[in-house]
Amino acid sequence: MAGQAQLPRRIVKETQRLLSEPAPGISASPSEENLRYFNVMILGPQASPYEGGLYKLELFLPEDYPMAAPKVRFLTKIYHPNIDKLGRICLDILKDKWSPALQIRTVLLSIQALLSAPNPDDPLAENVAKHWKENEVEAVQTAKEWTRLYAQHP
Amino acid sequence: MSDVEDMYDSDSGYDYDSQLSDDDSPASSKAAFGSAETVVASSKPACAWTVIRKDELAAAQDAALDAVVSILGCPKGTARHLLIAFRWEQDALFADYAEKGSDHMYELARVATTPPPNPKRAKTSPVRTRAAASALTCQVCFGDAEPGDMTAMDCGHAFCNACWRHHFRVQIKEGNSRRLSCMADKCGAICNEGKVRALIEDDPQLLDTFSEKLLDSFVEDNRRVRWCPSTPHCGSAVKVDGEPWVEPTCSCGYEFCFQCSEDPHSPATCEMWKQWKEHGDKETINWIRVNTKVCPKCAKNTEKNGGCNHIHCSQCDAHWCWVCGGAFTAQTVYSHACNQFKEDSSSTATDAAKQLKRYLHYHACWQAHAGSVELEQQQMETLNKTIAELEAARTETSSLMDFSWLSGALAQLLAARKILGRSYVLAFYLFGGISIPGADFSECVSQQPLFEFAQQQLESEVERLSKLIESPVEDLLGAQRLAVERLSKLIESPVEDLLGAQRLAVINSTKSVDQRLRKLYELIENDVLSLLPTGQHISPYKALPNTIHP
C-alpha cells in the first residue's frame, strides 16, 4: 500500500465514489497490490445478446491519468464486433476522444452501452463484424451462445 | 519563352556568360534562364518554386500568418490554426470567409472566439466549494484552487493551471502540438496559443518542442511546401507558387519531384515512375516463368542447360520431359510421347515472354542513357575543374578566354540525356497496353509514331552533341596539361584557334538539342497526356536546369 500516499487525489476520490455509489450493473474495485489496477465486473445489459452474462474486465490507470485514457480490456470471452479475441475494445473515448474530464465511471458506462449497441461499421474483430453485417440474426445467436458458454455467474 | 529564344538569336549563338560567370546582375541572369530559384515552364504558364532554408522557415511562416492577421484582425495564434485547418491555403481560407462567414471558418478550425453560454458545459466548469467561498474545484484533479491558479480557455472551460500544464505536456509529447485541445469532454476547441505559452513557459524544453512542431506544420500541413528529401536532411524546404508538378533543385543540390519526393522522372508521371521501379522485381519473376519450368516431383524451378528435353532433376532425382512437363521413369525415356496437343496454360508464358522482351528493350534504352549520364557527369566535373585551372593560369594576361559554351553544352547534354532516358519509361507505359492505377493508356497508341519520331530526333541530336563535345574537351585538357608541364602562362591563341572550328558546331547542336526537347515535351503535353483522364501530370521542361550552378 506504499503507493497510496502518492496516489493523486483524483484517483482516490474516484475510487471512493466507485465503491460508495456504484453505477447500476457495474462494479469496480482496486487491486490490493496496485491501486491503479481495477477489477471490473459488468452485467450484460437487458435486451442485448449479453443479457444474463457477467463480464470480467481489467482497468489500469496509466502514470499520466487523467491526461491519458485508462486502459481497459475484457477478460471474459465475448462475441462482439468491437471487441477482439484478446479482449481489446474499440471505443473512441479510450482513444482520440478521451478527455481528462471523463472518469472511470463514464468509461465503464460507455462500455456497457457498447454492449447494448454494437457498431459493426467500425469493427475491431473483422470476422465478427462481417458476420454481424451479413447475417445479424445468426451473429446475435452466436453472441447469446457465447454468453451462455463463457459469461455465466460462477 | 520568347526571352529564351531571343537569346539564341541575339548573336553568334549561345551565351552562357550570365550563367557561368559569377555575375550577380539579376537582370542578365533572369533574361537568359530565370534566376537560380525560379524556373520557367515550357508551354504552361510560368511555374516557379523557392527554396526556404531552415533559418528562413520562421520568417516564411510569419509572412503567411501576418497576411491573415492583417485581413481578419485576429491574434497570430488564431491565424495559425485557421491556416492549419485550411492546409495553409490562404486563398481557400479567405474564400470560405467571404462565402460562409467567420463563424463557419472558426468552427472548422475549432477555434473558439467567445465563450458560449452553453448550459451543457456548465458541469465541467469549476465548482465553487462551500469550504472556501473563493476557492474553486478543478474538475480534472478534484483539487481546490484559487481563481488566480485557474485558466479559462477561449471556449469558457476553466481548469487549474497544474492540470493544463500536465495536459499540454502529455499532448505535446504525443505529437499533438498543432491541435492542443480543451480538456472538457466533447469540447475539442483548440487552446489559445498565447495562453498555452504562458502556462508552459517555465519548461523551456517543452516550449521549444511546441514552437518547433508548430513551425513544422508550415511545411507538413502545407500543400505548397515540402521538405527537401535529401538524406541526411539539409533542413530546407521547397515552396511552389503555381502547379505542384515541378522538379525543384534544393539549395543543397538535391533534385527531386515535388509531387512524389522521388528522383526527377519527367516526362514519365509519378505513378509510372513508381511502377517502373517496382517492375524490376516483377520481371525477375517473369524471367523465371518464361525460362524455367517446375519439376513435377519436387516443384523446384528448373532451367534447361542443354538441348536434350529429358530433364534429370538434380534436386530430387526425378526424370521428366521439358516439353510436356510430365514425369517418367528413366527406363521409358524413348517411349515417352507428348506430341499430341493438349490445351494448357502455356499461352500465359508466351504473353509473359512478349511482355518481358518489350520491357527489356525499354529498360536497355533507359539504362544506356543513364550510363552515359554517369560518364558525362564525370566529364563535366573534370571540365569545370580544367576551366577553373585555366582561368587561374591566365590571371596575369588581360585577354579573356570563354569556355562557357562548352560547359553549357555539356550541361544541356546531361539534361537531355536524363529526359531522353526517362522518355523510354513513359513510352513503355503509354504504348504497351499496360494500365497502371488511375490511368488507361489505350488512347495513346495513335500517337506512338509521332512520339517515336520526336524521340528519335532528339536522340540523334543528343548523340551528335555528345560526339562533338568529346574532342574539344580532350583538346582543352591537353592544353591544360601543356600549360602545367611548361609551368608557364598559357598561350591563348592556339587553344582558341584549336577550338574555334568546333565551337560553332557545338553551339548549334546545343541549341538544336534544346529545341528538340521542347518539341518532345510539347508533343507529350499537348497530344499525348491530354488524351488521358485528368490526373496525369508531369513536370514541364526546364530550359537548362540549375545543374550549371555549382
Side-chain angles (χ1 to χ4, degrees):
Chain A
M1 294 283 200
Q4 187 146 27
Q6 293 132 32
L7 209 61
R9 180 190 171 97
R10 150 128 184 193
I11 298 181
V12 174
K13 284 216 159 188
E14 271 201 75
T15 309
Q16 282 170 357
R17 210 176 140 224
L18 278 168
L19 294 171
S20 62
E21 319 161 32
I26 294 172
S27 87
S29 50
S31 144
E32 285 186 15
E33 294 87 51
N34 185 347
L35 294 173
R36 287 176 174 269
Y37 184 92
F38 288 73
N39 292 302
V40 178
M41 296 295 231
I42 296 181
L43 272 175
Q46 284 179 358
S48 82
Y50 313 101
E51 185 175 353
L54 181 67
Y55 294 89
K56 202 170 175 329
L57 294 88
E58 58 177 9
L59 181 147
F60 180 71
L61 304 175
E63 181 61 29
D64 279 323
Y65 181 81
M67 305 313 160
K71 307 210 176 305
V72 201
R73 189 169 79 94
F74 271 82
L75 295 174
T76 308
K77 244 170 104 86
I78 181 165
Y79 197 76
H80 190 288
N82 309 104
I83 300 161
D84 74 2
K85 59 182 171 191
L86 297 175
R88 295 176 298 191
I89 308 161
C90 177
L91 187 64
D92 58 357
I93 60 158
L94 292 176
K95 308 265 157 50
D96 55 320
K97 289 289 189 305
W98 169 253
S99 148
L102 292 170
Q103 300 181 13
I104 299 172
R105 173 187 299 271
T106 38
V107 166
L108 295 178
L109 285 168
S110 297
I111 292 172
Q112 199 182 36
L114 187 68
L115 295 185
S116 293
N119 179 10
D121 291 323
D122 183 20
L124 187 63
E126 288 286 348
N127 51 341
V128 180
K130 197 165 165 255
H131 194 190
W132 220 274
K133 283 173 101 166
E134 284 170 0
N135 190 344
E136 196 178 330
V137 177
E138 198 186 284
V140 166
Q141 206 50 50
T142 310
K144 281 183 180 164
E145 188 72 11
W146 282 39
T147 308
R148 201 175 55 75
L149 282 171
Y150 307 112
Q152 288 313 296
H153 298 256
Chain B
M1 277 315 75
S2 58
D3 50 355
V4 179
E5 264 144 29
D6 288 345
M7 178 194 76
Y8 289 138
D9 302 330
S10 59
D11 58 17
S12 60
Y14 234 48
D15 176 24
Y16 279 104
D17 292 8
S18 52
Q19 279 281 313
L20 286 171
S21 60
D22 283 331
D23 177 8
D24 280 333
S25 147
S28 74
S29 70
K30 214 161 206 152
F33 299 103
S35 75
E37 294 180 344
T38 306
V39 175
V40 183
S42 62
S43 59
K44 286 180 185 167
C47 64
W49 42 267
T50 325
V51 176
I52 309 171
R53 287 201 322 272
K54 200 178 185 174
D55 52 335
E56 300 166 338
L57 215 54
Q61 189 203 39
D62 283 347
L65 294 177
D66 289 343
V68 172
V69 169
S70 70
I71 289 185
L72 299 179
C74 61
K76 211 163 172 174
T78 307
R80 187 197 311 280
H81 289 297
L82 288 171
L83 279 171
I84 289 176
F86 284 86
R87 305 206 53 86
W88 294 87
E89 297 270 351
Q90 239 178 64
D91 294 347
L93 171 67
F94 293 143
D96 191 87
Y97 176 57
E99 281 166 29
K100 295 174 185 160
S102 61
D103 286 354
H104 179 266
M105 177 181 76
Y106 286 123
E107 203 183 312
L108 204 81
R110 293 192 292 151
V111 176
T113 41
T114 45
N118 190 338
K120 264 198 291 181
R121 282 173 173 160
K123 67 177 178 189
T124 50
S125 297
V127 177
R128 225 165 255 281
T129 53
R130 257 180 240 163
S134 64
L136 300 163
T137 301
C138 166
Q139 288 302 294
V140 166
C141 64
F142 298 165
D144 293 340
E146 293 298 320
D149 292 331
M150 295 193 99
T151 302
M153 286 297 152
D154 296 348
C155 52
H157 297 126
F159 299 97
C160 80
N161 292 348
C163 281
W164 279 123
R165 267 184 224 116
H166 187 186
H167 173 62
F168 294 145
R169 196 166 57 238
V170 169
Q171 292 300 314
I172 291 170
K173 287 192 174 144
E174 290 260 305
N176 293 330
S177 296
R178 289 167 216 176
R179 34 177 196 284
L180 291 180
S181 56
C182 172
M183 286 195 283
D185 184 27
K186 297 188 180 66
C187 173
I190 300 286
C191 293
N192 181 306
E193 193 185 314
K195 289 181 182 172
V196 174
R197 285 185 188 279
L199 281 163
I200 62 170
E201 71 182 348
D202 42 1
D203 186 345
Q205 222 179 336
L206 191 68
L207 194 60
D208 279 354
T209 313
F210 177 61
S211 303
E212 221 170 82
K213 295 293 165 197
L214 285 185
L215 193 54
D216 284 353
S217 157
F218 178 65
V219 178
E220 285 160 21
D221 298 332
N222 194 332
R223 285 219 311 257
R224 300 193 173 276
V225 182
R226 202 174 277 266
W227 291 119
C228 165
S230 58
T231 30
H233 182 40
C234 66
S236 297
V238 169
K239 176 172 181 283
V240 293
D241 299 325
E243 301 262 2
W245 321 105
V246 288
E247 291 175 349
T249 309
C250 179
S251 52
C252 71
Y254 195 89
E255 197 182 1
F256 63 101
C257 166
F258 185 83
Q259 198 58 28
C260 68
S261 290
E262 292 289 334
D263 291 336
H265 51 68
S266 173
T269 66
C270 296
E271 190 56 39
M272 284 176 184
W273 189 243
K274 189 173 157 240
Q275 299 273 327
W276 180 257
K277 293 207 305 190
E278 285 168 6
H279 211 103
D281 296 336
K282 215 174 88 199
E283 284 308 332
T284 313
I285 296 159
N286 247 346
W287 184 90
I288 291 169
R289 205 157 73 212
V290 175
N291 296 290
T292 72
K293 284 189 181 180
V294 174
C295 167
K297 195 173 159 199
C298 68
K300 284 262 157 45
N301 283 305
T302 310
E303 186 190 1
K304 196 154 83 98
N305 59 2
C308 180
N309 286 323
H310 169 192
I311 307 296
H312 182 195
C313 179
S314 59
Q315 301 290 311
C316 69
D317 208 32
H319 293 267
W320 53 284
C321 168
W322 181 263
V323 180
C324 72
F328 49 77
T329 61
Q331 286 75 35
T332 62
V333 167
Y334 302 106
S335 55
H336 172 74
C338 59
N339 56 341
Q340 286 155 359
F341 178 73
K342 277 187 227 139
E343 198 83 54
D344 66 6
S345 58
S346 65
S347 66
T348 57
T350 18
D351 278 354
K354 259 191 242 164
Q355 211 40 262
L356 174 67
K357 239 177 139 179
R358 197 174 166 269
Y359 170 74
L360 289 177
H361 166 75
Y362 284 100
H363 190 269
C365 297
W366 173 67
Q367 213 164 35
H369 288 293
S372 300
V373 164
E374 242 170 71
L375 292 173
E376 280 156 359
Q377 215 136 32
Q378 291 167 12
Q379 208 177 14
M380 176 129 138
E381 276 162 29
T382 323
L383 182 76
N384 284 338
K385 221 174 101 198
T386 310
I387 290 174
E389 278 169 19
L390 282 172
E391 273 167 2
R394 63 130 212 265
T395 44
E396 286 165 35
T397 73
S398 57
S399 111
L400 273 171
M401 279 186 301
D402 179 17
F403 297 111
S404 56
W405 56 273
L406 193 53
S407 51
L410 245 177
Q412 178 69 77
L413 178 66
L414 267 171
R417 273 229 196 269
K418 287 179 186 166
I419 293 167
L420 188 55
R422 299 187 304 237
S423 74
Y424 283 98
V425 178
L426 176 76
F428 174 72
Y429 289 101
L430 282 182
F431 310 125
I434 302 168
S435 63
I436 60 176
D440 172 21
F441 302 118
S442 49
E443 294 275 311
C444 300
V445 181
S446 61
Q447 300 299 319
Q448 187 171 3
L450 271 176
F451 174 87
E452 283 174 352
F453 177 74
Q455 191 186 36
Q456 188 268 325
Q457 290 281 298
L458 173 63
E459 190 154 43
S460 57
E461 195 59 48
V462 161
E463 296 305 345
R464 202 166 84 91
L465 180 60
S466 177
K467 187 84 198 149
L468 275 171
I469 286 178
E470 262 175 23
S471 67
V473 168
E474 283 302 311
D475 291 347
L476 203 60
L477 294 179
Q480 187 251 355
R481 267 195 298 275
L482 216 63
V484 172
E485 271 166 26
R486 289 180 184 171
L487 292 168
S488 63
K489 277 180 284 177
L490 184 72
I491 307 148
E492 298 88 24
S493 50
V495 186
E496 293 223 313
D497 287 348
L498 203 65
L499 300 179
Q502 292 144 345
R503 184 168 175 262
L504 203 64
V506 169
I507 286 168
N508 282 334
S509 177
T510 308
K511 185 177 165 185
S512 180
V513 165
D514 175 71
Q515 279 166 350
R516 287 174 191 201
L517 276 168
R518 281 167 204 280
K519 285 240 169 67
L520 184 68
Y521 263 88
E522 255 173 55
L523 180 84
I524 293 169
E525 287 174 340
N526 301 340
D527 302 326
V528 182
L529 292 181
S530 61
L531 293 174
L532 297 169
T534 49
Q536 299 295 312
H537 296 280
I538 56 167
S539 173
Y541 173 54
K542 286 188 266 183
L544 257 157
N546 300 326
T547 42
I548 287 181
H549 282 278

